[in-house]
Amino acid sequence: MIELALEKNQVREPERFLPVDGEYDVIVVGGGVAGSAAGIAAARQGCKTLIIERESAMGGLATVGLVNIPLDFPCGIGQEWLTELESMQGHWHRNSDPEKHKLVLDRMAVRAGCDLLYHTMVVDAIVRDGAICGVVVESKSGRQALLARRVVDASGDGDAAAFSGAEFAIGRDGDPNHYTQGCSLEFRLGGVDFDAYKASDLKRTDPKWIRLIAESAEKGWAHIAEVENHLNWLTHLPGRPEHCGQDEVSICISHSRRCRPLDNRDLTRMYLEGREQADAMWRFIKANVSGFGNCWLIDTGALLGVRDSRRILGEYVVTGWDLACRKHHDDVITISNHGYDMHGPEDVGNLKWIEAEIDGRTRYVIGKVTGFSSSAFPPGGADVLCDYKGRTGADMDYGDPFYDIPYRALLPVKVENLIVAGRCLSADFPGQSGSRLILACTTMGQAAGTAVAQSLQADIPPRKLDRKVLQRQLIKDGVNLGQSARPIPGLDT
């Protein structure tokens, strides 16, 4: 109980001792795809490991958020859960079943020996002599402390890192409002005749619904184009009815703009807005898209699709230019082939290109061919897009099929015994936009969990870990570091 004592429009909270609810080798903050992989990897290395998750299940946006499209390189723990999903008809053609995915991650974590705490929020960090040594949590059990020798922050928002004093950035360079990318609330539709949709003129001539949405005002749906100017993706739910007019699909099209996802009032605004947008969108789709005439809204995501918030300042900052030139690093721990994907912070559309100076000229650079599917182009349109050497048209060459995320991008510069993983990695705004896919985050998590375990075994801080020792273990555990496509210095692979 806090006795009311107002002081300068503040309530004084008395000092108190917190009960310690447990001591661990490794605490993982956040149980999304990065956090679940980190916890599983650390536990498999023999560490007493706890995963703390604020939702009721692991998987984050891949499960609770209905983002059932696990893209990027499948390997390691990511490949393991894909294989388990396939065995229960929960994965097909890079479409997954969020409900089955929850169960798979539960089982994998329990088999590895992880402790789990659901419905628990990390609200502070415990730091001693510049090193994190635990976290403070709040739950139905009250406010408690949990101690750890190592902490992995896979919260997405970088909460534990920020609480411990790590430096971070939010939003675009030079934006005084620090707006993040647009946030989306996914939704699912049932009763879809997908065969009819695939055979329709719309699917053949306007698969991203660009013209359909542009003409929405003429059809009496003036507010639709204010939400988004194209369909981001539409996926199947595997293991459900097919070819009988009763398909179930997930759709990403709704967006909130001018987002501040670290502000709970703005988060509330976005959930309210997202559900209203889903209601308007499914009615528009039902009325205007072939094969959807008998569809209905099943649900909206219980977790908002926040694409970026805090980006922790690490020993290395992954940049947009790194993606364009497919930069490689000796300390690679994850590879990705995703290009830029910046959902407009203030306006509809998403950017798949960056502005850069090449040979003294301002150019508009894409990281891969998907840059031509941008829904907002630079002055001059798609024709002026180029590769990292300024080549255009048929002369473009994107180089290697992947770029590297280095171990140093997971290491905050100021705080010891802490590693970050997932979308809060050390990157600039465009660099993060391409590094945040589900399977890339999963592999980052596996690398982080393996690294903290190895640092404990060697009794050294994580930043002192020999990257070759880490890489050899990751490769042994099935992680693809691109070792078959190019040599990694110091590794006999």
Side-chain angles (χ1 to χ4, degrees):
M1 180 182 70
I2 299 176
E3 186 173 343
L4 183 62
L6 289 176
E7 184 175 314
K8 295 182 180 178
N9 204 32
Q10 295 177 323
V11 173
R12 180 185 296 276
E13 184 175 8
E15 181 179 316
R16 56 174 167 161
F17 289 99
L18 297 179
V20 175
D21 189 46
E23 298 186 33
Y24 293 86
D25 295 322
V26 177
I27 286 178
V28 180
V29 179
V33 291
S36 57
I40 291 166
R44 286 177 177 176
Q45 294 290 316
C47 295
K48 183 182 179 183
T49 302
L50 171 67
I51 301 174
I52 302 171
E53 170 54 46
R54 70 182 184 185
E55 305 293 333
S56 60
M58 285 185 289
L61 285 178
T63 57
V64 187
L66 305 183
V67 182
N68 68 323
I69 183 167
L71 297 178
D72 228 330
F73 289 100
C75 62
I77 288 172
Q79 182 59 64
E80 289 180 45
W81 53 248
L82 284 174
T83 300
E84 291 207 26
L85 280 170
E86 286 164 2
S87 72
M88 55 203 304
Q89 292 185 303
H91 178 253
W92 173 82
H93 196 58
R94 294 300 176 87
N95 297 170
S96 58
D97 183 319
E99 195 60 37
K100 291 175 181 175
H101 201 169
K102 293 177 190 176
L103 184 61
V104 165
L105 293 177
D106 281 347
R107 289 172 174 173
M108 289 179 67
V110 170
R111 284 200 304 264
C114 297
D115 281 356
L116 300 170
L117 277 178
Y118 289 142
H119 285 295
T120 303
M121 286 194 66
V122 170
V123 296
D124 211 342
I126 303 169
V127 178
R128 180 172 53 207
D129 298 329
I132 192 168
C133 53
V135 294
V136 177
V137 298
E138 289 185 350
S139 68
K140 294 294 288 185
S141 299
R143 189 175 176 94
Q144 299 169 311
L146 291 155
L147 304 181
R149 298 166 66 194
R150 301 288 186 271
V151 173
V152 177
D153 187 342
S155 63
D157 293 327
D159 290 331
F163 290 140
S164 67
E167 296 181 18
F168 57 85
I170 303 172
R172 299 161 293 179
D173 287 347
D175 178 6
N177 296 305
H178 302 292
Y179 291 141
T180 67
Q181 293 186 56
C183 296
S184 297
L185 196 67
E186 315 305 338
F187 61 90
R188 297 192 284 194
L189 299 181
V192 176
D193 186 341
F194 203 75
D195 291 330
Y197 172 63
K198 287 195 297 183
S200 68
D201 288 340
L202 177 67
K203 182 69 169 68
R204 181 174 56 84
T205 65
D206 191 19
K208 289 286 188 178
W209 302 357
I210 294 171
R211 188 172 63 253
L212 175 70
I213 293 173
E215 296 171 352
S216 59
E218 301 170 17
K219 300 176 183 291
W221 300 86
H223 55 296
I224 293 299
E226 298 173 4
V227 175
E228 185 51 278
N229 62 4
H230 71 290
L231 172 69
N232 281 278
W233 47 257
L234 188 157
T235 60
H236 263 89
L237 291 172
R240 310 292 175 89
E242 290 188 66
H243 310 300
C244 61
Q246 296 293 314
D247 293 73
E248 296 181 19
V249 300
S250 289
I251 294 180
C252 176
I253 195 168
S254 301
H255 280 80
S256 291
R257 310 287 175 179
R258 298 176 180 83
C259 301
R260 293 190 174 97
L262 300 175
D263 181 322
N264 66 333
R265 291 191 180 276
D266 203 45
L267 276 173
T268 302
R269 184 263 299 186
M270 289 187 275
Y271 277 102
L272 294 171
E273 196 168 75
R275 285 191 280 269
E276 290 289 356
Q277 289 180 356
D279 183 64
M281 276 292 180
W282 88 265
R283 295 177 189 278
F284 171 74
I285 292 167
K286 180 183 177 73
N288 293 281
V289 178
S290 297
F292 286 76
N294 295 316
C295 74
W296 61 84
L297 180 66
I298 299 173
D299 57 2
T300 57
L303 182 63
L304 181 72
V306 176
R307 294 180 170 87
D308 69 302
S309 53
R310 295 188 187 98
R311 305 187 308 276
I312 303 305
L313 177 61
E315 292 187 356
Y316 184 87
V317 179
V318 176
T319 69
W321 188 252
D322 291 351
L323 275 60
C325 65
R326 305 300 174 93
K327 188 166 185 177
H328 296 316
H329 299 272
D330 290 355
D331 61 334
V332 52
I333 47 83
T334 303
I335 61 173
S336 175
N337 68 355
H338 194 44
Y340 310 116
D341 192 10
M342 294 169 280
H343 292 239
E346 298 180 78
D347 300 309
V348 296
N350 56 331
L351 304 183
K352 296 181 181 291
W353 50 271
I354 62 169
E355 186 176 307
E357 185 174 298
I358 301 176
D359 297 330
R361 294 174 54 200
T362 297
R363 305 297 299 274
Y364 303 99
V365 181
I366 57 178
K368 57 187 299 187
V369 69
T370 52
F372 289 104
S373 66
S374 178
S375 61
F377 289 105
D383 291 342
V384 304
L385 297 177
C386 64
D387 66 14
Y388 70 104
K389 289 189 176 181
R391 296 168 296 202
T392 60
D395 295 328
M396 296 178 74
D397 183 353
Y398 307 105
D400 289 341
F402 60 85
Y403 54 88
D404 297 347
I405 297 172
Y407 180 51
R408 287 163 293 153
L410 309 187
L411 297 171
V413 292
K414 284 189 173 181
V415 185
E416 295 293 343
N417 297 339
L418 173 68
I419 296 182
V420 301
R423 66 173 174 83
C424 58
L425 83 159
S426 176
D428 67 9
F429 188 77
Q432 189 271 354
S433 78
S435 308
R436 57 178 172 78
L437 287 189
I438 286 172
L439 286 167
C441 288
T442 303
T443 306
M444 273 188 263
Q446 182 170 355
T450 303
V452 291
Q454 289 184 331
S455 76
L456 286 169
Q457 293 161 5
D459 194 25
I460 56 175
R463 74 177 75 252
K464 298 294 185 182
L465 186 65
D466 184 342
R467 57 91 180 169
K468 297 185 293 295
V469 174
L470 173 59
Q471 290 168 329
R472 290 190 182 105
Q473 185 65 51
L474 291 174
I475 292 171
K476 179 181 177 183
D477 292 337
V479 172
N480 180 6
L481 300 181
Q483 64 272 15
S484 63
R486 54 92 165 88
I488 300 174
L491 294 189
D492 298 323
T493 56

